[in-house]
Amino acid sequence: MRGMTSVSAIITTYNRRTYVCKAVRSVLGQTLPVSEIVIVDDGSTDGTAESLRAEFGDRIRIIEKSNGGVSSARAAGTAAAEGDWIAFLDSDDEWTPERNSHLVRAVERLPADVPWLFGDTMIVTDAGEMGRVFTLYKLDVGRPFTVFDDPMPTQHPFQFSLMQSSMIRTEVLRRVGAFSEDLRSSEDVLVGWQIAANHRMAAIPEVVTRVHRLTALAASSADRAGQASVDYHRARMLGYAVLARSKRPGPWAVMHSASVRRLCLRMAKERTPGVRVLATQQFQFIVSAAAICFMVFVVFGPAGVNAWNRLAQAVGRFRKQALPIGIPVAALENA
């Protein structure tokens, strides 16, 4: 034992008055209490803060701010946290009663250089419990915990360390500048990669969080933006750049270049300026035939970018054949 472990529970919320109180109750119901509960109300207009104060009083601390998205809300909570470790919870999810006990017991036995510990997650849909994340996506975790010397297989292509099921050292979150990019989605992916690039991670096998993927929440869920959002691609571009600069093995430079192109395509579709300047970032770590070809198309503006997109889709369908216009398939792979 290294002494008492202080944990700050941080709940971010936006117009989830009917759900957030249930989330708070799940934190207050822990068999091992957390040190504090900080709720960041990201500009709610439905009386969320008033409802929270009425039910919980001084058992919680509320930070009210103008709406800026989940990343800015998590940043505000991280800055305000007084605990050595931070445990996030989304306002529509809930912790299992033994969550804090399981994680703290493991933290107090972990090597000191492991700043991120996560547990398993139960996915709940309209039909009920869909299953455990570790089982569904095949991550083997032993007891009492498993330390991943290279944690990237737990982060990519699937991120097992869901933010709602993690406990992260506060000092490390602040040191990497977590949540400073003002992302409205995919902020969890970026932070996971930022920390995994230079640190070990660990996991426990117990389910610690119930994550709700309900139809009623779909319209307002940041997770549902998916690949249709600029932030989805921007977070990955930034994350691949962090990994390309690290010593972690993997094709991160190639994937960074490809993510720049995907972000450019999304920006062009939304008529967001700056595509030509952004496209030069493809060459930050490598020079490839795909990157050079893309720059040629970008010179012609949105029409050229859209033409590239159509061409890339054709390559996806006929990637084993030579393109009739003479550009080899290899030049557009990872497009």
Side-chain angles (χ1 to χ4, degrees):
M1 294 280 191
R2 300 194 192 97
M4 188 67 66
T5 299
S6 58
V7 178
S8 296
I10 297 179
I11 302 174
T12 57
T13 187
Y14 173 67
N15 285 346
R16 289 283 172 83
R17 184 181 65 179
T18 57
Y19 295 95
V20 67
C21 289
K22 183 178 180 180
V24 174
R25 290 185 207 111
S26 77
V27 179
L28 288 171
Q30 292 297 297
T31 58
L32 177 66
V34 298
S35 304
E36 62 172 349
I37 302 174
V38 179
I39 301 175
V40 182
D41 184 359
D42 191 38
S44 294
T45 58
D46 65 348
T48 290
E50 291 78 5
S51 293
L52 288 166
R53 290 192 182 96
E55 179 168 349
F56 302 110
D58 60 4
R59 290 180 291 173
I60 61 174
R61 178 156 54 110
I62 301 177
I63 298 172
E64 295 182 75
K65 60 183 287 297
S66 58
N67 182 255
V70 64
S71 192
S72 70
R74 291 200 201 278
T78 300
E82 297 178 357
D84 296 327
W85 292 77
I86 287 177
F88 291 102
L89 177 62
D90 289 348
S91 56
D92 48 2
D93 299 325
E94 58 185 322
W95 287 355
T96 59
E98 297 284 338
R99 180 203 200 269
N100 197 49
S101 176
H102 287 316
L103 290 171
V104 167
R105 187 164 60 245
V107 157
E108 293 179 342
R109 299 173 62 184
L110 278 179
D113 66 337
V114 177
W116 189 311
L117 175 68
F118 60 96
D120 204 352
T121 306
M122 179 63 71
I123 304 297
V124 182
T125 67
D126 294 337
E129 293 184 349
M130 188 179 81
R132 298 166 58 142
V133 165
F134 290 180
T135 302
L136 290 171
Y137 297 99
K138 298 179 173 54
L139 182 69
D140 186 22
V141 175
R143 285 189 166 82
F145 51 78
T146 296
V147 175
F148 299 95
D149 293 328
D150 177 4
M152 279 312 299
T154 73
Q155 303 298 304
H156 187 281
F158 181 84
Q159 188 172 49
F160 288 93
S161 61
L162 300 185
M163 196 71 71
Q164 307 95 314
S165 299
S166 297
M167 203 154 78
I168 312 165
R169 193 176 289 278
T170 308
E171 182 271 330
V172 173
L173 278 173
R174 291 171 178 167
R175 176 154 37 89
V176 302
F179 314 116
S180 62
E181 298 293 343
D182 295 326
L183 296 165
R184 286 185 173 269
S185 64
S186 294
E187 83 295 338
D188 49 349
V189 171
L190 177 56
V191 172
W193 296 3
Q194 285 173 321
I195 292 180
N198 297 296
H199 298 85
R200 299 195 291 170
M201 289 184 174
I204 61 173
E206 290 84 6
V207 171
V208 298
T209 307
R210 291 168 56 84
V211 169
H212 296 100
R213 295 291 180 261
L214 308 177
T215 302
L217 300 170
S220 59
S221 174
D223 291 338
R224 305 303 173 93
Q227 297 184 29
S229 71
V230 167
D231 279 350
Y232 176 94
H233 298 293
R234 182 165 169 257
R236 283 154 180 79
M237 180 190 73
L238 294 169
Y240 286 134
V242 170
L243 293 167
R245 287 190 289 267
S246 75
K247 297 180 180 179
R248 292 290 187 218
W252 311 125
V254 173
M255 299 184 84
H256 172 265
S257 186
S259 69
V260 172
R261 293 191 287 279
R262 295 188 186 102
L263 177 55
C264 287
L265 290 170
R266 189 69 228 174
M267 290 172 61
K269 186 173 183 178
E270 297 186 4
R271 299 187 180 278
T272 303
V275 171
R276 290 180 183 176
V277 174
L278 176 63
T280 63
Q281 293 298 308
Q282 298 175 93
F283 307 106
Q284 185 174 354
F285 302 106
I286 62 167
V287 175
S288 67
I292 293 171
C293 289
F294 185 72
M295 283 301 303
V296 172
F297 280 79
V298 167
V299 168
F300 296 97
V305 174
N306 291 331
W308 168 274
N309 191 30
R310 291 192 296 272
L311 188 57
Q313 289 175 351
V315 171
R317 292 190 296 269
F318 307 106
R319 59 186 304 158
K320 297 303 181 181
Q321 304 175 20
L323 295 175
I325 59 174
I327 299 176
V329 171
L332 292 176
E333 288 192 343
N334 296 309

